[in-house]
Amino acid sequence: WSALGADQAVGMGKPAMPMGGGKAKHASLGVIRLDYDYPPAPGDIDHPGSFGYDVFYRVVPGMTFEMCQSGKLTPQVQANFIEAVKWLEAKGVSGITGDCGFMMYFQQLARRNTRKPVFMSALAQLPAVTCAFAYNEHIAILTANGQSLAPMRQLIKDECGVDPDEHRYIFVGCEDVPGFDAVARGEKVDVQAVTPGMVAKSIRVVKQNPTIRAILLECTEMPPYADAIRQATGLPVFDAITACDFFISSFKDNARFGINDWQQSWDGQQDSYKFGQNLSSAQRGMLVNKIR
């Protein structure tokens, strides 16, 4: 601080307050949604009840699952994507994520258009999880489909700073779990029916690889099974929800110590949301999956 004036140095220790005074807005999450309407289960990133803070959704017209998986957007869809990012930023969200792990392809695009933290995939946590364990220990990464994630390995290396081809990562496709194929069909998943198969697969992988120390669920529709896997394996389980909680918690007042009463309290009520909400009539006309 020697190069700073006394007033500047003192100012660095003051909490950031909103322009005009008053309490800071409570922390909230922004979610970029695919042009894909399906009935999300509690725990799914598209279910507002999955979060203990406000969440706002914005669908990107034309951004289908197939386009997202390809990693390439048309010029119009790219413009729609950027508009969605800017809309969420204007809503005052604290961070931005997506409702499909393949949106990691567009992590850079989102970052270029906002100053908010962007974490488009549960894999954003992988560097921290990796750091927590020894080099000869393993991390299991469960995906909806093992083969479809393979083309993303260089992207994971570039964006997350870890090499997914290292021996310490064990990728496990869950496409053969009974009932989970409903995800690929865009149908409602019977979580209760799928849970035993998801737990059995996790237990089997851990038994086959006793040096596994953590499990990361890559697919955004896998968090509903996280608790059951935690109970069955005794291991820490990371997913899209823990990724969001990690970033959003950094914006929240800690009531246990430090200054208090500087941030508005969340009322505990999520705004209702329906697919296509917050779009203009022209934008709704660009939807591939029309509003039901």
Short mmCIF file of all heavy atoms in Angstrom, two decimals, residues 36-60:
data_model
loop_
_atom_site.label_atom_id
_atom_site.label_comp_id
_atom_site.label_asym_id
_atom_site.label_seq_id
_atom_site.Cartn_x
_atom_site.Cartn_y
_atom_site.Cartn_z
N TYR A 36 -35.04 -26.39 -25.35
CA TYR A 36 -35.33 -27.79 -25.03
C TYR A 36 -36.22 -27.80 -23.80
O TYR A 36 -35.80 -27.39 -22.73
CB TYR A 36 -34.01 -28.50 -24.78
CG TYR A 36 -34.06 -29.95 -24.33
CD1 TYR A 36 -34.79 -30.90 -25.02
CD2 TYR A 36 -33.34 -30.35 -23.21
CE1 TYR A 36 -34.80 -32.22 -24.62
CE2 TYR A 36 -33.33 -31.68 -22.79
CZ TYR A 36 -34.06 -32.61 -23.50
OH TYR A 36 -34.06 -33.91 -23.10
N ASP A 37 -37.45 -28.19 -23.96
CA ASP A 37 -38.40 -28.16 -22.85
C ASP A 37 -38.63 -29.58 -22.33
O ASP A 37 -39.02 -30.46 -23.09
CB ASP A 37 -39.73 -27.55 -23.32
CG ASP A 37 -40.68 -27.25 -22.18
OD1 ASP A 37 -40.23 -27.29 -21.01
OD2 ASP A 37 -41.86 -26.99 -22.44
N TYR A 38 -38.36 -29.78 -21.07
CA TYR A 38 -38.55 -31.10 -20.46
C TYR A 38 -38.95 -30.90 -19.00
O TYR A 38 -38.73 -29.82 -18.43
CB TYR A 38 -37.25 -31.92 -20.54
CG TYR A 38 -36.15 -31.40 -19.66
CD1 TYR A 38 -35.83 -32.02 -18.46
CD2 TYR A 38 -35.40 -30.28 -20.02
CE1 TYR A 38 -34.82 -31.54 -17.64
CE2 TYR A 38 -34.39 -29.79 -19.22
CZ TYR A 38 -34.10 -30.42 -18.03
OH TYR A 38 -33.11 -29.94 -17.23
N PRO A 39 -39.52 -31.88 -18.36
CA PRO A 39 -39.95 -31.74 -16.97
C PRO A 39 -38.80 -32.04 -16.00
O PRO A 39 -38.47 -33.20 -15.76
CB PRO A 39 -41.07 -32.78 -16.84
CG PRO A 39 -40.74 -33.82 -17.88
CD PRO A 39 -40.02 -33.12 -18.98
N PRO A 40 -38.13 -31.03 -15.44
CA PRO A 40 -36.99 -31.27 -14.56
C PRO A 40 -37.41 -31.78 -13.18
O PRO A 40 -38.43 -31.38 -12.63
CB PRO A 40 -36.35 -29.88 -14.44
CG PRO A 40 -37.49 -28.93 -14.63
CD PRO A 40 -38.40 -29.59 -15.62
N ALA A 41 -36.60 -32.69 -12.65
CA ALA A 41 -36.85 -33.23 -11.32
C ALA A 41 -36.17 -32.35 -10.27
O ALA A 41 -35.20 -31.65 -10.58
CB ALA A 41 -36.29 -34.65 -11.22
N PRO A 42 -36.65 -32.34 -9.04
CA PRO A 42 -35.95 -31.61 -7.98
C PRO A 42 -34.50 -32.08 -7.89
O PRO A 42 -34.22 -33.28 -7.90
CB PRO A 42 -36.73 -32.00 -6.72
CG PRO A 42 -38.11 -32.32 -7.21
CD PRO A 42 -37.90 -32.98 -8.55
N GLY A 43 -33.58 -31.14 -7.88
CA GLY A 43 -32.17 -31.46 -7.93
C GLY A 43 -31.58 -31.15 -9.30
O GLY A 43 -30.38 -30.90 -9.44
N ASP A 44 -32.43 -31.17 -10.33
CA ASP A 44 -32.01 -30.78 -11.68
C ASP A 44 -31.75 -29.27 -11.67
O ASP A 44 -32.42 -28.51 -10.99
CB ASP A 44 -33.13 -31.12 -12.66
CG ASP A 44 -32.72 -30.97 -14.12
OD1 ASP A 44 -32.28 -29.87 -14.50
OD2 ASP A 44 -32.83 -31.94 -14.87
N ILE A 45 -30.78 -28.85 -12.47
CA ILE A 45 -30.43 -27.43 -12.51
C ILE A 45 -31.58 -26.58 -13.03
O ILE A 45 -31.67 -25.39 -12.73
CB ILE A 45 -29.16 -27.24 -13.37
CG1 ILE A 45 -28.46 -25.93 -13.01
CG2 ILE A 45 -29.46 -27.34 -14.85
CD1 ILE A 45 -27.05 -25.83 -13.52
N ASP A 46 -32.50 -27.17 -13.81
CA ASP A 46 -33.64 -26.41 -14.33
C ASP A 46 -34.83 -26.40 -13.38
O ASP A 46 -35.89 -25.88 -13.74
CB ASP A 46 -34.06 -26.97 -15.69
CG ASP A 46 -33.20 -26.43 -16.83
OD1 ASP A 46 -32.62 -25.34 -16.66
OD2 ASP A 46 -33.09 -27.11 -17.87
N HIS A 47 -34.66 -26.97 -12.21
CA HIS A 47 -35.72 -26.94 -11.20
C HIS A 47 -35.35 -25.87 -10.17
O HIS A 47 -34.36 -26.02 -9.44
CB HIS A 47 -35.85 -28.30 -10.52
CG HIS A 47 -37.11 -28.46 -9.73
ND1 HIS A 47 -37.38 -27.71 -8.60
CD2 HIS A 47 -38.19 -29.27 -9.92
CE1 HIS A 47 -38.56 -28.06 -8.11
NE2 HIS A 47 -39.08 -28.99 -8.90
N PRO A 48 -36.11 -24.76 -10.09
CA PRO A 48 -35.75 -23.68 -9.17
C PRO A 48 -35.61 -24.13 -7.72
O PRO A 48 -34.83 -23.55 -6.95
CB PRO A 48 -36.92 -22.69 -9.32
CG PRO A 48 -37.50 -22.97 -10.67
CD PRO A 48 -37.33 -24.45 -10.86
N GLY A 49 -36.34 -25.19 -7.34
CA GLY A 49 -36.27 -25.68 -5.97
C GLY A 49 -34.94 -26.34 -5.63
O GLY A 49 -34.73 -26.73 -4.47
N SER A 50 -34.04 -26.44 -6.60
CA SER A 50 -32.73 -27.05 -6.35
C SER A 50 -31.77 -26.10 -5.65
O SER A 50 -30.68 -26.51 -5.24
CB SER A 50 -32.10 -27.50 -7.68
OG SER A 50 -32.95 -28.41 -8.36
N PHE A 51 -32.18 -24.83 -5.51
CA PHE A 51 -31.26 -23.81 -5.01
C PHE A 51 -31.80 -23.08 -3.79
O PHE A 51 -33.02 -22.89 -3.66
CB PHE A 51 -30.97 -22.79 -6.11
CG PHE A 51 -30.42 -23.40 -7.37
CD1 PHE A 51 -31.25 -23.69 -8.44
CD2 PHE A 51 -29.08 -23.72 -7.48
CE1 PHE A 51 -30.76 -24.26 -9.60
CE2 PHE A 51 -28.57 -24.29 -8.63
CZ PHE A 51 -29.41 -24.57 -9.69
N GLY A 52 -30.89 -22.66 -2.94
CA GLY A 52 -31.25 -21.90 -1.75
C GLY A 52 -31.04 -20.41 -1.95
O GLY A 52 -30.68 -19.69 -1.00
N TYR A 53 -31.25 -19.95 -3.16
CA TYR A 53 -31.12 -18.53 -3.51
C TYR A 53 -31.89 -18.32 -4.80
O TYR A 53 -32.29 -19.29 -5.47
CB TYR A 53 -29.65 -18.12 -3.67
CG TYR A 53 -28.78 -19.18 -4.31
CD1 TYR A 53 -28.74 -19.34 -5.70
CD2 TYR A 53 -28.02 -20.06 -3.54
CE1 TYR A 53 -27.97 -20.33 -6.28
CE2 TYR A 53 -27.25 -21.05 -4.11
CZ TYR A 53 -27.22 -21.17 -5.49
OH TYR A 53 -26.45 -22.17 -6.07
N ASP A 54 -32.11 -17.06 -5.17
CA ASP A 54 -32.87 -16.77 -6.38
C ASP A 54 -32.15 -17.30 -7.61
O ASP A 54 -30.92 -17.24 -7.71
CB ASP A 54 -33.05 -15.25 -6.54
CG ASP A 54 -34.40 -14.78 -6.01
OD1 ASP A 54 -35.31 -15.61 -5.90
OD2 ASP A 54 -34.53 -13.58 -5.71
N VAL A 55 -32.94 -17.80 -8.55
CA VAL A 55 -32.38 -18.26 -9.82
C VAL A 55 -33.25 -17.73 -10.94
O VAL A 55 -34.48 -17.72 -10.84
CB VAL A 55 -32.28 -19.80 -9.86
CG1 VAL A 55 -33.63 -20.46 -9.61
CG2 VAL A 55 -31.71 -20.28 -11.18
N PHE A 56 -32.60 -17.24 -12.00
CA PHE A 56 -33.30 -16.69 -13.16
C PHE A 56 -32.87 -17.47 -14.40
O PHE A 56 -31.69 -17.75 -14.59
CB PHE A 56 -32.97 -15.20 -13.33
CG PHE A 56 -33.37 -14.37 -12.15
CD1 PHE A 56 -32.45 -14.03 -11.17
CD2 PHE A 56 -34.68 -13.95 -11.99
CE1 PHE A 56 -32.81 -13.28 -10.07
CE2 PHE A 56 -35.06 -13.20 -10.88
CZ PHE A 56 -34.12 -12.86 -9.92
N TYR A 57 -33.85 -17.78 -15.25
CA TYR A 57 -33.60 -18.59 -16.44
C TYR A 57 -33.83 -17.77 -17.70
O TYR A 57 -34.71 -16.92 -17.76
CB TYR A 57 -34.53 -19.81 -16.47
CG TYR A 57 -34.31 -20.78 -15.34
CD1 TYR A 57 -35.08 -20.72 -14.18
CD2 TYR A 57 -33.33 -21.77 -15.43
CE1 TYR A 57 -34.89 -21.62 -13.13
CE2 TYR A 57 -33.13 -22.68 -14.39
CZ TYR A 57 -33.91 -22.59 -13.24
OH TYR A 57 -33.71 -23.48 -12.22
N ARG A 58 -33.01 -18.08 -18.71
CA ARG A 58 -33.22 -17.46 -20.03
C ARG A 58 -32.85 -18.50 -21.10
O ARG A 58 -31.71 -18.94 -21.18
CB ARG A 58 -32.35 -16.22 -20.17
CG ARG A 58 -32.44 -15.52 -21.53
CD ARG A 58 -33.81 -14.92 -21.82
NE ARG A 58 -33.86 -14.27 -23.13
CZ ARG A 58 -33.93 -12.96 -23.31
NH1 ARG A 58 -33.99 -12.15 -22.26
NH2 ARG A 58 -33.95 -12.46 -24.52
N VAL A 59 -33.84 -18.88 -21.90
CA VAL A 59 -33.61 -19.84 -22.97
C VAL A 59 -32.97 -19.12 -24.16
O VAL A 59 -33.21 -17.94 -24.39
CB VAL A 59 -34.93 -20.53 -23.38
CG1 VAL A 59 -35.89 -19.55 -24.01
CG2 VAL A 59 -34.66 -21.68 -24.34
N VAL A 60 -32.14 -19.85 -24.90
CA VAL A 60 -31.51 -19.32 -26.12
C VAL A 60 -32.24 -19.93 -27.32
O VAL A 60 -32.07 -21.12 -27.62
CB VAL A 60 -30.01 -19.69 -26.18
CG1 VAL A 60 -29.40 -19.19 -27.49
CG2 VAL A 60 -29.27 -19.11 -24.99
#
